[in-house]
Amino acid sequence: MAVDLLELFHRIADPPSAVARRYIVDHALEDRVRFRNLTYPEVEADFHRLGGKTTPALWDGTHLHQGAEAVVARLQAVVNLGRDADM
């Protein structure tokens, strides 16, 4: 399934969220990932609607990957498959 834009649910002061944000920046994925800061009520509502419990969390259009390790693993798949491949 091709996804135009992944969504990263994160908290600014959360160290695991910083790990995910750094991975995105270090691998030049900013054009593929929308940052969703959980300080905003509408973002928090979307996070909970998707089943979110742990930050960071990455929505790929099908599944919410939760925790820094799961988020980075999913992002590695994006890097390994290439920018134009189906995710």
Side-chain angles (χ1 to χ4, degrees):
M1 171 180 191
V3 175
D4 293 329
L5 194 64
L6 301 165
E7 295 182 74
L8 177 71
F9 293 92
H10 68 99
R11 297 184 194 283
I12 295 295
D14 178 44
S17 290
V19 170
R21 290 190 308 268
R22 174 60 55 200
Y23 189 91
I24 292 164
V25 171
D26 287 351
H27 292 86
L29 295 172
E30 299 98 320
D31 62 332
R32 296 293 302 270
V33 181
R34 178 181 177 199
F35 288 76
R36 311 261 339 254
N37 188 336
L38 286 163
T39 61
Y40 299 101
E42 66 275 10
V43 175
E44 189 166 351
D46 289 345
F47 177 67
H48 291 298
R49 179 181 52 78
L50 295 170
K53 296 188 183 351
T54 304
T55 57
L58 185 74
W59 177 247
D60 66 9
T62 302
H63 184 76
L64 187 66
H65 306 268
Q66 298 185 68
E69 188 173 304
V71 168
V72 169
R74 182 65 181 92
L75 291 169
Q76 284 175 334
V78 173
V79 171
N80 291 339
L81 290 174
R83 296 174 157 254
D84 297 321
D86 285 350
M87 296 188 292

